[in-house]
Amino acid sequence: MIKSLNHLPHPHENAQVLASHFTDLAPPLNARQAVLESSRCLYCYDAPCVNACPSEIDIPSFIRNIQQENVQGAAHTILSANILGGSCARVCPTEVLCQQACVRNNSQECAPVLIGLLQRYAVDHAQFSEHPFTRAAPTGKRIAVVGAGPAGLACAHRLALHGHEVVIFEARAKSGGLNEYGIAKYKLVDDFAQREVDFVLEIGGIEVRHGQRLGDNLTLSELHQQFDSVFLGLGLAASRLLGLPHEDAPGLLAATDYIRELRQSDDLTQLPLAERCIVLGAGNTAIDMAVQMARLGAREVNLVYRRGLEDMGATGHEQDIAKANQVRLMTWAQPQELLLDEQGRVRGMRFARTRLEDGRLVSTGETFELAADAVFKAIGQTFDDAALGDPLAQKLKRVGDRIEVDEQLRTSVPGVYAGGDCTSLGQDLTVQAVQHGKLAAEAMHAQLMLDQEAA
Amino acid sequence: MADLSIVFAGIKAPNPFWLASAPPTDKAYNVVRAYEAGWGGVVWKTLGEDPAAVNVSSRYSAHFGPNREVMGINNIELITDRSLEINLREITQVKKDWPDRALIVSLMVPCEEESWKFILPLVEATGADGIELNFGCPHGMPERGMGAAVGQVPEYVEMVTRWCKTYCSLPVIVKLTPNITDVRLSARAAHRGGADAVSLINTINSITSVDLERMVALPMVGSQSTHGGYCGSAVKPIALNMVAEIARDPLTKGLPICGIGGIGSWRDAAEFIALGCGAVQVCTAAMLHGFRIVDEMKDGLSRWMDSQGYTSLDDFSGRAVGNTTDWKYLDINYQVIAKIDQDACIGCGRCHIACEDTSHQAISSLKQADGTHRYEVIEDECVGCNLCQITCPVEACIEMVPHNNGLPFLDWNHDPRNPYCVAS
């Protein structure tokens, strides 16, 4: 259990009630709803939804397949572009991607086609007698993939498809990355993340080695020597610091640590409950944290952000989820001081009110205090520098702390590719990570085959 | 409100909405409910000789649209499966109780004079307002030499019609089958036989679908199927054309027409009336929604007539007939060009791909800086086919605008490009 929150009580509700607070936020469509919804699709040409999908799924085609009762065909279309189409259907912010672009989202139409739910319907209901993709003849090439998150899994699957042998090195005990450890429980319920991993690995030719952490018991130099090519899908393992005194005080925790604990918990009644809590941040992780604490039974959840609602990373849809769960969104306030009780535990936080002055965020001089049993940081993730400590890894060009890649996901070190959150592309969605993995695999494959021809 | 009452082939009715001879008019219970709901008339489900017909189970199947809306129904039900005596008794009572409503009796007996001579006085004695000759039933009965088997032979149509006019004083409506090549021949035959009116269309031979698991067409009777008769909104275009063909045929000029085929709304009815009908019959829409639909049909038709300044059906009945002509009389110089309302366009690209792949490459797709597309008509390439307008999901987004090319009216008969051109 989370040590820094050991002093907190547990949720008051029983296990059954708590479990009911963490079922699907957006319930799946049944067969009738899926057919009804699919009939709303206009089967656009050069469809705006496809252009808006980072993984370039042929959305009109898969929806037409659903309409024609060809669920397997629909799922195949989705998975051939995005092997993690099942989790993306659940976690994608469709309101700013495909569904925002949907022509039925036009002001003169009623509402966008529910593309995300239709995608989920197709992937959930497809029944393949065997893995739907067949591997090409063995190439004899071996490729190392670091990180079994969405980017690494997508990369490994595509490489295996092309006939390469892949070894995935994963630091944690389970594969799946943020799908397993980092997404709000009500968005990705039960063991879906693991079932999806099993499905991806079904293709064959992929070995996953757990407990392998770059910079700990693994170095890029070794991988570079032992494998024909390397893909880095490291994610961003470290949470940003507030830069305030007492950052290690009991009661202060990274939201990602708590969410990981919650997702892995078999018994929600044993989780620490912060009756009054503060969540710092403005992204989807902040919302996920705040809403989940509210659903565990917290009486008072304040989400505090130093700028305005329109600047928040969380979409309007996410903000609505927070409001619907009685989370108070407080803007224009930044942490000034962590307030501790006699035992040195968090008892609240003092904030400075902020405003914009000539485009710069400044303090107004006014402050206020909020009482809290716990404060959760969701102010962003950062690179775990230990991961890239060896001499070869240090040669990787960086942009800020991220690894620089080009449009083919190549790093500055030949043969080393990278994708997902750890790269300089500034994209942080699961679906973008999947696309990076896929594109990197294609680039690696093309390069390896070119090298082979030349040899 | 406009007056919806009619006198059709001598039969009075408070409105032109009649229920067609079919399961909804099988017995007194249904017919009384229909009258209570406000239907202007009913054609009682076809009577035949005793012993009564026997029906199978199941009987209907449907052609569905993508949202399970019923486009058409196929049925294999035969004529009444109740005795002649029961039907005649009920008809007598119902007519007595509902004197202001039209009650027509549909008939089908073997193509023998004696059979008709026997049944006609019995029907007349009920007090019914008229008879309708079922020469159209396309399933089951033709195998026994009745229904469409009669309707498909103009000589039989004429002969039986004449028998009916001889042995019965009631108005005779001849119901025509669409399962022929030229419906005018059947209508002319009925006219020659002395028919007071024709009604059309009866159902169209059909198989709606096939169960691919069991490899049996629908509807299924055990492990078998048979073709049935197709009706519902999907047949409306076919019915409208056949009505128009008869309405503009000089040889049947003035013959009253009762329109049947996919009528489910006041607008459908108004279209049939505009093409020459004096009354309409409805079946499938009532079978799908119940008798209550007549409320909206009556209300909608009256209000539309008011808006047009029509005080009775006669004011617009047949108004569209004169504008329906042969292809060779169309103005070959007339030209329309598609115009896309960019403010209404939702950017689906359907007009572009339809034109690009299957028509005249007259709509360009222009990629915009923000990744969306703008669709523009290339006027010089547009032939005015209407396909883009049809494929556009937004009503009135694409308009077909008449283009003034300065050319005079010219039909094919007078077009110099026609090798058989009539010198003008």
Side-chain angles (χ1 to χ4, degrees), chain B residues 292-323:
Chain B
R292 61 203 165 118
I293 58 169
V294 77
D295 273 343
E296 293 84 15
M297 295 174 99
K298 287 192 296 187
D299 190 67
L301 185 61
S302 305
R303 288 180 195 279
W304 172 76
M305 285 170 64
D306 288 347
S307 73
Q308 301 299 309
Y310 299 137
T311 56
S312 75
L313 261 59
D314 287 341
D315 287 355
F316 75 97
S317 177
R319 281 272 191 118
V321 177
N323 296 329

Short mmCIF file of all heavy atoms in Angstrom, two decimals, chain B residues 292-323:
data_model
loop_
_atom_site.label_atom_id
_atom_site.label_comp_id
_atom_site.label_asym_id
_atom_site.label_seq_id
_atom_site.Cartn_x
_atom_site.Cartn_y
_atom_site.Cartn_z
N ARG B 292 -54.66 4.40 -37.02
CA ARG B 292 -54.58 5.81 -36.62
C ARG B 292 -53.89 6.71 -37.63
O ARG B 292 -54.05 7.92 -37.59
CB ARG B 292 -53.87 5.91 -35.26
CG ARG B 292 -52.44 5.37 -35.32
CD ARG B 292 -51.89 4.93 -33.98
NE ARG B 292 -50.70 4.12 -34.17
CZ ARG B 292 -49.49 4.45 -33.71
NH1 ARG B 292 -49.33 5.55 -33.04
NH2 ARG B 292 -48.47 3.66 -33.93
N ILE B 293 -53.09 6.13 -38.54
CA ILE B 293 -52.34 6.98 -39.49
C ILE B 293 -53.25 7.85 -40.36
O ILE B 293 -52.80 8.83 -40.92
CB ILE B 293 -51.42 6.16 -40.42
CG1 ILE B 293 -52.22 5.14 -41.21
CG2 ILE B 293 -50.30 5.49 -39.62
CD1 ILE B 293 -51.42 4.50 -42.34
N VAL B 294 -54.52 7.45 -40.45
CA VAL B 294 -55.41 8.22 -41.32
C VAL B 294 -55.61 9.64 -40.78
O VAL B 294 -55.88 10.57 -41.54
CB VAL B 294 -56.75 7.49 -41.52
CG1 VAL B 294 -57.66 7.62 -40.29
CG2 VAL B 294 -57.47 8.01 -42.77
N ASP B 295 -55.46 9.81 -39.49
CA ASP B 295 -55.59 11.14 -38.89
C ASP B 295 -54.62 12.12 -39.54
O ASP B 295 -55.00 13.20 -39.99
CB ASP B 295 -55.26 11.10 -37.39
CG ASP B 295 -56.48 10.75 -36.56
OD1 ASP B 295 -57.60 10.88 -37.10
OD2 ASP B 295 -56.29 10.34 -35.40
N GLU B 296 -53.35 11.74 -39.54
CA GLU B 296 -52.33 12.65 -40.09
C GLU B 296 -52.48 12.79 -41.60
O GLU B 296 -52.17 13.84 -42.17
CB GLU B 296 -50.92 12.16 -39.75
CG GLU B 296 -50.56 12.20 -38.27
CD GLU B 296 -51.04 10.98 -37.49
OE1 GLU B 296 -51.40 9.98 -38.12
OE2 GLU B 296 -51.07 11.06 -36.24
N MET B 297 -52.95 11.72 -42.25
CA MET B 297 -53.13 11.80 -43.70
C MET B 297 -54.22 12.81 -44.03
O MET B 297 -54.06 13.66 -44.93
CB MET B 297 -53.47 10.42 -44.27
CG MET B 297 -52.34 9.42 -44.11
SD MET B 297 -52.84 7.75 -44.63
CE MET B 297 -52.14 7.72 -46.24
N LYS B 298 -55.34 12.74 -43.33
CA LYS B 298 -56.45 13.67 -43.60
C LYS B 298 -56.05 15.10 -43.25
O LYS B 298 -56.27 16.03 -44.04
CB LYS B 298 -57.68 13.26 -42.78
CG LYS B 298 -58.35 12.00 -43.29
CD LYS B 298 -59.72 11.77 -42.66
CE LYS B 298 -59.64 11.53 -41.18
NZ LYS B 298 -60.94 11.15 -40.60
N ASP B 299 -55.45 15.24 -42.08
CA ASP B 299 -55.08 16.58 -41.63
C ASP B 299 -54.06 17.22 -42.58
O ASP B 299 -54.19 18.38 -42.98
CB ASP B 299 -54.51 16.49 -40.21
CG ASP B 299 -54.32 17.87 -39.60
OD1 ASP B 299 -55.33 18.54 -39.34
OD2 ASP B 299 -53.16 18.28 -39.40
N GLY B 300 -53.05 16.43 -42.94
CA GLY B 300 -51.97 16.95 -43.79
C GLY B 300 -52.50 17.33 -45.17
O GLY B 300 -52.14 18.37 -45.73
N LEU B 301 -53.38 16.46 -45.72
CA LEU B 301 -53.89 16.73 -47.06
C LEU B 301 -54.76 18.00 -47.06
O LEU B 301 -54.62 18.86 -47.93
CB LEU B 301 -54.70 15.52 -47.56
CG LEU B 301 -55.21 15.63 -49.01
CD1 LEU B 301 -54.04 15.76 -49.98
CD2 LEU B 301 -56.06 14.41 -49.38
N SER B 302 -55.62 18.12 -46.03
CA SER B 302 -56.48 19.32 -45.97
C SER B 302 -55.64 20.58 -45.87
O SER B 302 -55.89 21.58 -46.55
CB SER B 302 -57.38 19.32 -44.74
OG SER B 302 -58.12 18.19 -44.68
N ARG B 303 -54.67 20.55 -44.97
CA ARG B 303 -53.87 21.76 -44.77
C ARG B 303 -53.07 22.12 -46.02
O ARG B 303 -52.93 23.30 -46.37
CB ARG B 303 -52.92 21.58 -43.57
CG ARG B 303 -53.63 21.60 -42.25
CD ARG B 303 -52.68 21.42 -41.10
NE ARG B 303 -53.41 21.10 -39.88
CZ ARG B 303 -54.01 22.00 -39.12
NH1 ARG B 303 -53.94 23.28 -39.42
NH2 ARG B 303 -54.67 21.63 -38.04
N TRP B 304 -52.54 21.08 -46.68
CA TRP B 304 -51.80 21.37 -47.90
C TRP B 304 -52.73 21.96 -48.95
O TRP B 304 -52.39 22.93 -49.63
CB TRP B 304 -51.13 20.08 -48.42
CG TRP B 304 -50.51 20.29 -49.77
CD1 TRP B 304 -49.36 20.95 -50.08
CD2 TRP B 304 -51.08 19.86 -51.03
NE1 TRP B 304 -49.15 20.96 -51.43
CE2 TRP B 304 -50.20 20.30 -52.04
CE3 TRP B 304 -52.23 19.17 -51.38
CZ2 TRP B 304 -50.44 20.05 -53.39
CZ3 TRP B 304 -52.47 18.91 -52.73
CH2 TRP B 304 -51.58 19.35 -53.73
N MET B 305 -53.93 21.36 -49.07
CA MET B 305 -54.90 21.88 -50.05
C MET B 305 -55.25 23.33 -49.73
O MET B 305 -55.33 24.17 -50.64
CB MET B 305 -56.16 21.00 -50.08
CG MET B 305 -55.92 19.67 -50.79
SD MET B 305 -57.29 18.49 -50.59
CE MET B 305 -58.62 19.32 -51.41
N ASP B 306 -55.45 23.62 -48.44
CA ASP B 306 -55.73 25.00 -48.03
C ASP B 306 -54.60 25.92 -48.49
O ASP B 306 -54.82 27.01 -49.01
CB ASP B 306 -55.87 25.11 -46.51
CG ASP B 306 -57.18 24.48 -46.03
OD1 ASP B 306 -58.06 24.22 -46.88
OD2 ASP B 306 -57.31 24.26 -44.81
N SER B 307 -53.37 25.47 -48.26
CA SER B 307 -52.22 26.32 -48.57
C SER B 307 -52.12 26.58 -50.08
O SER B 307 -51.55 27.56 -50.51
CB SER B 307 -50.92 25.67 -48.07
OG SER B 307 -50.58 24.57 -48.89
N GLN B 308 -52.69 25.64 -50.87
CA GLN B 308 -52.63 25.79 -52.32
C GLN B 308 -53.89 26.44 -52.88
O GLN B 308 -54.01 26.63 -54.09
CB GLN B 308 -52.46 24.41 -52.98
CG GLN B 308 -51.21 23.65 -52.53
CD GLN B 308 -49.94 24.39 -52.89
OE1 GLN B 308 -49.75 24.80 -54.04
NE2 GLN B 308 -49.09 24.62 -51.90
N GLY B 309 -54.87 26.67 -52.01
CA GLY B 309 -56.13 27.25 -52.48
C GLY B 309 -57.05 26.23 -53.14
O GLY B 309 -57.97 26.60 -53.87
N TYR B 310 -56.81 24.95 -52.92
CA TYR B 310 -57.70 23.92 -53.48
C TYR B 310 -58.83 23.67 -52.48
O TYR B 310 -58.58 23.43 -51.30
CB TYR B 310 -56.95 22.59 -53.69
CG TYR B 310 -55.79 22.67 -54.66
CD1 TYR B 310 -54.58 22.04 -54.37
CD2 TYR B 310 -55.91 23.36 -55.87
CE1 TYR B 310 -53.52 22.10 -55.25
CE2 TYR B 310 -54.84 23.41 -56.76
CZ TYR B 310 -53.65 22.79 -56.45
OH TYR B 310 -52.60 22.84 -57.32
N THR B 311 -60.07 23.69 -52.96
CA THR B 311 -61.18 23.47 -52.03
C THR B 311 -61.69 22.04 -52.10
O THR B 311 -62.36 21.57 -51.18
CB THR B 311 -62.34 24.44 -52.33
OG1 THR B 311 -62.72 24.26 -53.71
CG2 THR B 311 -61.92 25.88 -52.09
N SER B 312 -61.42 21.36 -53.20
CA SER B 312 -61.80 19.94 -53.28
C SER B 312 -60.73 19.18 -54.05
O SER B 312 -59.89 19.78 -54.72
CB SER B 312 -63.15 19.81 -53.99
OG SER B 312 -62.96 19.99 -55.39
N LEU B 313 -60.80 17.86 -53.96
CA LEU B 313 -59.80 17.04 -54.65
C LEU B 313 -59.82 17.26 -56.16
O LEU B 313 -58.79 17.19 -56.83
CB LEU B 313 -60.02 15.56 -54.33
CG LEU B 313 -59.13 14.97 -53.24
CD1 LEU B 313 -59.30 15.70 -51.93
CD2 LEU B 313 -59.39 13.49 -53.05
N ASP B 314 -61.02 17.54 -56.66
CA ASP B 314 -61.15 17.76 -58.10
C ASP B 314 -60.27 18.92 -58.57
O ASP B 314 -59.85 18.96 -59.72
CB ASP B 314 -62.61 18.07 -58.47
CG ASP B 314 -63.47 16.81 -58.39
OD1 ASP B 314 -62.90 15.71 -58.42
OD2 ASP B 314 -64.71 16.95 -58.27
N ASP B 315 -60.01 19.85 -57.63
CA ASP B 315 -59.22 21.02 -58.02
C ASP B 315 -57.80 20.66 -58.46
O ASP B 315 -57.17 21.41 -59.21
CB ASP B 315 -59.13 22.01 -56.85
CG ASP B 315 -60.44 22.74 -56.62
OD1 ASP B 315 -61.37 22.54 -57.44
OD2 ASP B 315 -60.53 23.50 -55.64
N PHE B 316 -57.29 19.55 -57.95
CA PHE B 316 -55.91 19.22 -58.38
C PHE B 316 -55.76 17.81 -58.92
O PHE B 316 -54.68 17.43 -59.39
CB PHE B 316 -54.90 19.48 -57.25
CG PHE B 316 -54.91 18.46 -56.14
CD1 PHE B 316 -53.99 17.42 -56.13
CD2 PHE B 316 -55.83 18.54 -55.11
CE1 PHE B 316 -53.98 16.49 -55.11
CE2 PHE B 316 -55.84 17.61 -54.08
CZ PHE B 316 -54.91 16.58 -54.08
N SER B 317 -56.84 17.05 -58.92
CA SER B 317 -56.74 15.68 -59.43
C SER B 317 -56.34 15.72 -60.91
O SER B 317 -56.96 16.42 -61.71
CB SER B 317 -58.09 14.97 -59.27
OG SER B 317 -57.99 13.69 -59.83
N GLY B 318 -55.30 15.00 -61.26
CA GLY B 318 -54.86 14.94 -62.66
C GLY B 318 -54.02 16.11 -63.11
O GLY B 318 -53.60 16.17 -64.26
N ARG B 319 -53.73 17.04 -62.20
CA ARG B 319 -52.97 18.23 -62.60
C ARG B 319 -51.57 17.92 -63.13
O ARG B 319 -51.00 18.70 -63.88
CB ARG B 319 -52.82 19.18 -61.41
CG ARG B 319 -54.05 19.99 -61.12
CD ARG B 319 -54.04 21.30 -61.92
NE ARG B 319 -55.08 22.18 -61.45
CZ ARG B 319 -54.86 23.38 -60.92
NH1 ARG B 319 -53.63 23.84 -60.83
NH2 ARG B 319 -55.86 24.11 -60.52
N ALA B 320 -50.98 16.83 -62.70
CA ALA B 320 -49.61 16.52 -63.15
C ALA B 320 -49.61 15.62 -64.38
O ALA B 320 -48.54 15.30 -64.91
CB ALA B 320 -48.82 15.86 -62.01
N VAL B 321 -50.80 15.20 -64.83
CA VAL B 321 -50.85 14.27 -65.97
C VAL B 321 -50.33 14.92 -67.24
O VAL B 321 -49.52 14.34 -67.96
CB VAL B 321 -52.29 13.74 -66.17
CG1 VAL B 321 -52.34 12.84 -67.41
CG2 VAL B 321 -52.77 13.00 -64.94
N GLY B 322 -50.78 16.13 -67.49
CA GLY B 322 -50.38 16.80 -68.73
C GLY B 322 -48.88 17.06 -68.81
O GLY B 322 -48.31 17.17 -69.90
N ASN B 323 -48.24 17.13 -67.67
CA ASN B 323 -46.80 17.38 -67.65
C ASN B 323 -45.98 16.09 -67.70
O ASN B 323 -44.76 16.12 -67.62
CB ASN B 323 -46.41 18.16 -66.40
CG ASN B 323 -47.04 19.53 -66.39
OD1 ASN B 323 -47.26 20.12 -67.45
ND2 ASN B 323 -47.37 20.04 -65.21
#
